[in-house]
């Protein structure tokens, strides 16, 4: 087969080039959405601004929505990596939990301050890639909570899934808070409900 | 002036009629949005389905978005009334707080299960009427929290505005919970963080 005879280095260069073009398309689209709004951006504009032909653009993405999904997925993937890093730098289950929840609050703050974040979420909320990425975020938080519960650092009378849902929503409040100090207080407040030895749930 | 000579009863009848038409327009639009999606609904469709002329429809609303704003405002007003009722039926500040937070969680559940709720929120989130209604919801919760804090029933080391923001966001988790029991547990969990004598915020 022909493909087998292409040198490995050449394949790698093509791969790197394709990745670069793809990233450039996402960046351009993000910039255009910032300028014109979500629904005013066309494939022709994106191709022109990226400096590629329309035909080339269509080899990468079928439509604007596909680009927005890729863009959003890139964001959520970066958030996931950020959370995993925060988790892995801490030592005990309790420290890991605090680090992850703090990172979550900062992500919520950043997302709320992105242009068109609400519209984008609404546009993509039924997309399965986005749903998958969100599920991964949820699972990361849930697992850190489950570890801390097993270690006796937080209450173990709630399903970890419910605690994770509570945390993610409570920390979304960071999006409307005005200061770093207020975000810190929110994390402390959210953690308070998780302490062991609290009143049993009804 | 001619208007002064119109009998009062007649004015009332016109008022009632106008209100009925207005409500019918909102109901029709809600139904059409449920069938076709938010952005596929036209003024002509709405007029036809409501059984009024297009010219009449335009006397009530300038465009579809204005109808959606009115529809959303009607919802938020109903939520406000529901919360105020829950508040006024309880006796002590602590009971009022629990009643209001429980009502909030149920509203979050209902909103999340409405068709097109996310899209509608995204479409209208910059509208000032919607922002005003949201602010009223926030203030109702904040005032109930402030009363409970003054009564020594909840912690008083946080600004009531921050506690209200925390509660509203945490209770939004009800939107993804599957059972009445889970919603009850969420309210208990959210309240736990508010108890007096907790560790000071950082």
């Amino acid at each position: 087969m022909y493909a087998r005879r292409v040198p490995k280095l050449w394949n790698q260069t093509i791969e790197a080039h394709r990745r670069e073009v793809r990233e450039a398309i996402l960046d351009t689209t993000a910039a255009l959405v910032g300028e014109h709004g979500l629904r005013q951006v066309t494939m022709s504009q994106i191709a022109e601004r990226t400096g590629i032909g329309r035909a080339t653009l269509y080899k990468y993405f079928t439509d604007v929505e596909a680009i927005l999904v890729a863009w959003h997925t890139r964001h959520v993937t970066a958030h996931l990596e950020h959370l995993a890093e925060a988790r892995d730098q801490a030592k005990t289950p309790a420290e890991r939990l605090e680090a992850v929840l703090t990172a979550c609050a900062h992500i919520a703050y950043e997302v709320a301050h992105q242009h068109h974040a609400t519209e984008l979420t609404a546009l993509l909320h039924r997309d399965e890639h986005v749903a998958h990425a969100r599920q991964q975020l949820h699972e990361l938080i849930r697992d850190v909570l489950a570890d801390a519960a097993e270690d006796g650092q937080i209450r173990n009378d709630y399903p970890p899934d419910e605690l994770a849902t509570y945390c993610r929503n409570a920390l979304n409040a960071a999006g409307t808070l005005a200061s770093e100090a207020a975000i810190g207080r929110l994390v402390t407040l959210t953690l308070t409900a998780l302490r062991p030895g609290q009143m049993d749930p009804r």
Side-chain angles (χ1 to χ4, degrees), chain A residues 28 43-54 57:
Chain A
T28 303
M43 291 294 268
S44 301
Q45 281 178 314
I46 295 167
E48 198 191 328
R49 179 82 73 96
T50 310
I52 56 177
R54 260 173 60 97
L57 178 57

Side-chain angles (χ1 to χ4, degrees), chain A residues 101-120:
Chain A
L101 296 194
T102 303
C104 258
H106 283 110
I107 290 170
Y109 178 86
E110 275 164 39
V111 168
H113 288 79
Q114 268 163 23
H115 283 302
H116 305 285
T118 315
E119 283 158 87
L120 191 65

Side-chain angles (χ1 to χ4, degrees), chain A residues 16-195:
Chain A
H17 173 72
R18 280 189 62 85
R19 243 196 330 269
E20 267 170 40
V21 173
R22 198 173 177 280
E23 296 292 298
I25 293 168
L26 301 190
D27 293 338
T28 303
T29 307
L32 284 169
V33 165
E35 289 164 32
H36 305 293
L38 256 182
R39 287 170 195 276
Q40 265 64 54
V41 177
T42 65
M43 291 294 268
S44 301
Q45 281 178 314
I46 295 167
E48 198 191 328
R49 179 82 73 96
T50 310
I52 56 177
R54 260 173 60 97
T56 306
L57 178 57
Y58 278 102
K59 280 185 196 153
Y60 285 83
F61 295 103
T62 53
D63 52 27
V64 176
E65 187 160 328
I67 305 178
L68 292 174
V69 167
W71 177 40
H72 193 68
T73 305
R74 187 174 71 174
H75 267 292
V76 181
T77 306
H79 295 160
L80 262 172
E81 283 167 8
H82 182 54
L83 288 186
E85 228 172 82
R87 177 193 63 196
D88 297 340
Q89 279 174 4
K91 283 177 202 138
T92 68
E95 282 167 10
R96 276 200 280 281
L97 178 60
E98 186 168 348
V100 166
L101 296 194
T102 303
C104 258
H106 283 110
I107 290 170
Y109 178 86
E110 275 164 39
V111 168
H113 288 79
Q114 268 163 23
H115 283 302
H116 305 285
T118 315
E119 283 158 87
L120 191 65
T121 307
L123 186 69
L124 304 177
H125 75 116
R126 287 211 197 86
D127 182 85
E128 62 182 37
H129 294 95
V130 175
H132 177 70
R134 272 174 208 288
Q135 182 59 26
Q136 284 182 287
L137 268 181
H138 177 83
E139 285 169 14
L140 189 150
I141 298 166
R142 184 198 60 197
D143 293 349
V144 170
L145 283 160
D147 283 351
E150 201 167 316
D151 200 49
Q153 300 296 312
I154 64 162
R155 61 197 308 162
N156 59 8
D157 55 350
Y158 268 78
D161 266 319
E162 285 183 22
L163 292 186
T165 303
Y166 156 78
C167 288
R168 287 189 304 125
N169 281 276
L171 297 171
N172 262 342
T176 57
L177 294 178
S179 71
E180 187 67 28
I183 293 177
R185 285 194 294 271
L186 173 68
V187 173
T188 305
L189 189 63
T190 304
L191 273 166
T192 302
L194 305 180
R195 281 207 214 111

